[in-house]
Amino acid sequence: MYRLEPELFDLNYTLDCGQVFRWERDGDWWTGVVGENVVRLLQEKESGSLLVDSELSPEFFSHYFRLDDNLPSIYESINRDLLIDRAINRYRGLRLIRQDPWECLISYMLATASSIPTIQKRIFLLSRFFGQELEDGYFSFPNPETLANADLSLLDRCKLGFRAERIKTAAEEVCSGELDFDALFRLEYRYARERLMRLRGIGEKVADCVLLFAFEKMESFPVDTHIRQIIQHYHIDDSFFETCTNLSCMGEWGREYFGHYCGYAQEYLYYQKRIEGFVSLY
DNA sequence: AGCCAGGCGGTCA
DNA sequence: TGACCGCATGGC
């Protein structure tokens, strides 16, 4: 157990906002599986310091929680209107997380047309059946080889529905090296996106989530049902939307409107909408 | 019961 | 291209 003193960081918002699915809260403590490690974290209310119960190093968490991001500077760059301004101030300290590419890829393939509790349940079952037990009740995320070789009847027990075949195929591509994570890191956003979208089960939204949360593409702007509703409800920038109604166009708009760190803007808007619905700006 | 959830892929005009 | 539909599952 050790202590970290992160600046401008809110653990609760960061783990609760819906970007990760394997952290659970019990009182003030969060427990999660990161790689082969079971991790417990608590942030003290007054001091803001982080209590870490884990084998992983301080440097790891600094990297994992993107403490290297200059948040004030990012806030300044994305603060374009009253709605995002409110979200930034209300959920101050929410940071994006650097997720493991493989786990992130499969998780968001399993997230299509599902509520967050359902997604969490699928990943829990998948880990329980195909991962390795780390300590009592906690399992690692299954590796690509295991999922590539799993038979569909077993995958079915994880309640994946029509997503089962898709993740098996994706796992096979990762195993064979046909899908190369290192290459995705090096590719520019739009090319990495095109590459991911060649997989069955990955459209614009899933590709954007994976690129944002695992491949350092801050200029991703995932347009899910909440973001679509926000844009339609507030008529942000309505001169643009006279000619733009579909989801693809909304993504393009987000990148233009919020700039390079639009991924951060997206996450704040998404969380605010999930927690508070359509907020009043008066 | 019916609709929606961090959607995608196919079809049909 | 744009609108509609089926796809499994679960929560409300």
Side-chain angles (χ1 to χ4, degrees):
Chain A
M1 179 98 76
Y2 59 91
R3 182 181 292 262
L4 281 177
E5 309 288 349
E7 247 183 80
L8 195 46
F9 174 69
D10 190 302
L11 181 70
N12 295 334
Y13 294 153
T14 298
L15 294 181
D16 185 55
C17 72
Q19 58 179 327
V20 283
F21 302 111
R22 299 199 75 197
W23 286 92
E24 56 187 27
R25 188 174 182 169
D26 182 12
D28 292 332
W29 282 93
W30 287 91
T31 305
V33 178
V34 180
E36 306 294 314
N37 304 275
V38 178
V39 177
R40 293 183 176 82
L41 298 174
L42 174 148
Q43 186 169 36
E44 291 182 349
K45 285 190 177 67
E46 314 76 28
S47 64
S49 59
L50 204 60
L51 295 183
V52 181
D53 181 6
S54 168
E55 305 292 314
L56 294 164
S57 69
E59 292 73 26
F60 174 85
F61 287 104
S62 181
H63 186 260
Y64 182 70
F65 288 124
R66 300 193 69 95
L67 300 182
D68 50 315
D69 277 338
N70 186 337
L71 219 41
S73 161
I74 291 172
Y75 288 159
E76 192 182 349
S77 75
I78 63 177
N79 194 346
R80 293 291 312 276
D81 56 45
L82 287 176
L83 186 66
I84 185 69
D85 181 68
R86 184 187 185 285
I88 288 170
N89 286 303
R90 174 107 11 165
Y91 300 104
R92 194 174 163 75
L94 189 168
R95 285 177 185 266
L96 295 180
I97 289 175
R98 279 194 184 90
Q99 300 187 36
D100 173 71
W102 160 247
E103 180 173 332
C104 185
L105 175 75
I106 298 302
S107 296
Y108 279 92
M109 290 182 76
L110 296 182
T112 59
S114 311
S115 65
I116 288 177
T118 302
I119 302 163
Q120 290 170 329
K121 180 186 174 186
R122 289 192 186 122
I123 295 171
F124 172 83
L125 290 173
L126 202 62
S127 301
R128 166 154 296 240
F129 291 144
F130 298 100
Q132 298 197 332
E133 186 160 16
L134 303 170
E135 42 183 273
D136 48 317
Y138 293 98
F139 290 76
S140 64
F141 194 82
N143 59 43
E145 291 75 18
T146 307
L147 291 191
N149 296 322
D151 45 276
L152 284 174
S153 60
L154 279 172
L155 279 177
D156 264 347
R157 292 166 60 189
C158 302
K159 308 296 180 186
L160 311 184
F162 58 83
R163 305 161 191 85
E165 291 187 49
R166 298 173 173 181
I167 68 160
K168 184 172 162 62
T169 307
E172 288 166 359
E173 280 211 30
V174 171
C175 285
S176 72
E178 193 177 341
L179 183 65
D180 181 354
F181 288 153
D182 288 334
L184 286 174
F185 270 111
R186 290 192 301 266
L187 283 173
E188 273 178 44
Y189 163 68
R190 54 192 167 133
Y191 297 117
R193 192 173 190 249
E194 283 175 10
R195 175 62 190 95
L196 279 177
M197 286 174 62
R198 278 164 46 199
L199 288 167
R200 288 187 70 83
I202 300 191
E204 298 187 351
K205 189 269 171 183
V206 172
D208 277 335
C209 284
V210 175
L211 292 172
L212 177 62
F213 300 137
F215 287 98
E216 304 277 340
K217 313 298 192 225
M218 297 295 104
E219 66 270 46
S220 297
F221 191 80
V223 180
D224 77 318
T225 175
H226 290 292
I227 293 296
R228 176 181 54 76
Q229 289 175 41
I230 288 170
I231 293 173
Q232 289 172 341
H233 183 265
Y234 291 97
H235 296 285
I236 308 172
D237 201 357
D238 48 309
S239 64
F240 184 83
F241 284 105
E242 286 172 9
T243 58
C244 169
T245 51
N246 63 46
L247 298 183
S248 175
C249 214
M250 292 181 184
E252 285 302 314
W253 168 81
R255 280 182 280 285
E256 284 284 320
Y257 187 72
F258 293 109
H260 183 259
Y261 286 100
C262 62
Y264 260 100
Q266 191 274 359
E267 204 56 21
Y268 277 80
L269 293 176
Y270 171 81
Y271 191 38
Q272 178 172 250
K273 163 70 167 61
R274 257 191 60 220
I275 298 297
E276 304 182 73
F278 298 118
V279 299
S280 167
L281 298 176
Y282 298 101

